[in-house]
Amino acid sequence: MEIISLLWNEIILNPMQNGLVLLYAFTGQNFGITIIIFTIVVRLITLPLTLKQVRSTKKMSELQPRMAALQRRYGKDRARLSQETMRLYKEAGVNPLGCLGPMVIQLPIWIGLYISITSLLPLRPEDLAKLAGHLYGWLPIVNEVIPLDSRFLWLDLAVPDPSPILAIMVGLSMWVLQKMSTPAAGDPRQQSTNRMLLWMLPVMFAFFTISLPSGLPLYWMISNIIGIVIQYFVTGLTGLWPLFPKQPATAPAVVGVGEAVQTDDQPPASEESAHEEQAGTRGDQRQNGRRGDRSRAQRARRRTRGSHNRGR
Amino acid sequence: MRPFAFLLVALLVLVTAAGCTSRSFAGSSGWSGIAVGSDVVYVGARTGRVLALDARTGSQRAAFPPEGQDPLKGLYGTPALVDGVLYVPGYDGRVYALNAADLSLRWQYPIDISTVKSIVGGVAVADNLVVFGSSDGYVRALNTSSGLREWEFKTDGVVWSTPTISGGVVYVGSLGKKLYALSLANGVPLWAQPFEAGGAIISSPLVAGSRVIFGSFDRQVYALDAGTGRQVWSFRGGSWFWHSPVTDAQRVFVATTKGVLHALTLSSGQEIWQFNLQAPVISSPVLMEDRRLAVTSDGGIVYLISTENGGQVSTYNIGAQVQAPLTTDGQTVYINAMNERAWAIRLVGRQEKLWCINTKDKQIC
């Protein structure tokens, strides 16, 4: 257990705390600005993973009709279904767990940032005393700027925002991000689940915002906004409209401060028609052309596979 | 694992972490030292009560607030015992004056705590004034008889340092990196400008002759001219200096939050020897009557150190983190540990534990 604690301190907590204090020292000694810059740095570092994840989500979405077909064909044989699904992923070059990367990275960052905020912006002397062991002695400036000023705009970053403003901003930014990055879902059950997730996660994070030191929700909000920008450049604004569809045609694919999560959408009744729909509604002509080519190739492969099966 | 399930686990861990290190005061806390009377000692317990304990046996004689009433929010500053009155700085922002005999309340300041912030440092008492600093940045002086405010002075930052009174002057540091010299009579600054260190000052200043000595978070110990506030010497250590320095009139003893105890010459600040306690030192050491130094740390071991050469004379393991300042009657060291146990350990002559009491359930430990 001690070795885990040592690793946590040396690899995550100490670099994070010293980095935050260093940023604070060089950014006008404003901890709000420090958190914003820290968020941008974290997002830049994880950008390759995030882009991979968003693209993977997009690919997975395109595979939904074929997955539905597999479901129909092998629904009762789970082993075979699993085998065929994995083969499908392999053919398409998709890693179904690839989207977990950015989330796995986010978790220690959240916990580390929470601990850092409680130490760097101490409410109790014990919190400040704990910090002493984490600051680098060879970096004089990090020792000299302690304790940090916790005021930023209307917020005291050391305590929860007493007004609902930050909670609303966190919830809203998360909702927009999810809405934008949601792939199409055809199955009514999945639609229902997606609709619930679209609201539940922003509400949950807004609820956390009410009870956590506002430095952490500030990180979430900025991270969401960056996620929205990334999503805009990859998929555009198509997922955002309509804002409140009567029959929701979208399902959340992005959860938790901008990290996309693939959902197991079900296709429309006919996979061909699904492809036609996608080709007809998504992206520019060039994308449609590529997708159409791919669809034709996929259909040809399936026909060949189907005739093999019938032959048996 | 499905991504959504993973996210839920992540949220659960986050909430758990938040719960583990909750910043709210579910209970009381603190690290108050023990005030030593002739046959009674006074402990600011982490349970939020001031306990009067028999100095010989550790048995409880009185408590404030009495059992049955709500405890205080927390106690960090060490109470001061002067002329039969115990002055207690509360983390709730109030100063309580208690009759030392039975811990009954004489007065409290202020009545309305919405106007003040927490007190982390201790109080200093002289010339019928009790002086203390507050997290709202003020240094205040109260009349010891009435509890009414005589004066207040706004510093440039939060004040967690215990003021030191010497020769009618109040010396006090702030987290705003400044050390002030104020007139005890009226709170007027006496130096042309406060001394500005490179880091926050929590250390209570030590006045030795014409020198004011204190440590800072910029890893330096400073010695100033008490009259002018000009720097005489400084010493650089390896980490923060949190606690108050101690002197034997020739040497200054001060330890870092990395656990290194330094002995410096009082005249020039040259290092004479150092001793590594291997754990952060927040607790102030004390000089025993045999001129040995008792010092402890977060590691829970009390060291008796030779002031001559820094050699380890003996150790006593109390097995718990200590951040409250040590106090002594010259032979016995009194320790309020972070595990809610108060100790009396004789260090001069035959070393022995006199008593140990759990300040929560009052059981002997």
Side-chain angles (χ1 to χ4, degrees), chain A residues 156-176:
Chain A
D156 179 347
L157 298 169
V159 296
D161 181 10
S163 75
I165 298 171
L166 188 61
I168 291 169
M169 289 169 85
V170 167
L172 189 66
S173 60
M174 186 169 287
W175 185 87
V176 169

Side-chain angles (χ1 to χ4, degrees), chain A residues 97 99-100 103-104 107 110-111 114 117-119 121-129 131-133 135 137-138 140 143-147 158-159 197 200-201 204-205 208 212-213 216 220 255-256 261-262 264, chain B residues 1-4 6-11 13-15 17-19 21-25 29-31 46 76 91 118 120 160 175 177 198-200 202 217-219 236 238-240 242 257-258 280 282 323 338:
Chain A
L97 297 177
C99 57
L100 293 180
M103 282 198 302
V104 170
L107 182 61
W110 289 355
I111 296 173
Y114 175 82
I117 289 168
T118 55
S119 298
L121 307 175
L123 289 182
R124 300 184 308 168
E126 287 97 326
D127 299 329
L128 185 59
L131 181 62
L135 296 183
W138 50 266
N143 294 283
E144 289 164 9
V145 296
I146 298 292
V159 296
L197 291 180
M200 190 178 79
L201 288 170
M204 277 172 68
F205 273 82
F208 291 144
L212 288 170
L216 187 57
W220 289 340
V255 292
V261 173
Q262 176 59 43
D264 49 351
Chain B
M1 190 190 300
R2 287 179 54 172
F4 180 60
F6 182 86
L7 185 76
L8 282 181
V9 171
L11 291 175
V13 172
L14 180 70
V15 172
T21 52
S22 173
R23 320 191 81 193
S24 62
F25 273 95
S29 63
W31 56 44
R46 284 172 59 79
Y76 286 89
Y91 192 66
S118 56
V120 174
W160 282 7
L175 297 191
K177 308 178 185 177
I202 292 182
F217 277 20
D218 64 359
R219 305 178 296 157
R236 179 178 287 277
S239 184
W240 298 353
W242 185 300
T257 50
K258 291 281 190 206
I282 304 290
Q323 295 188 323
M338 298 296 275

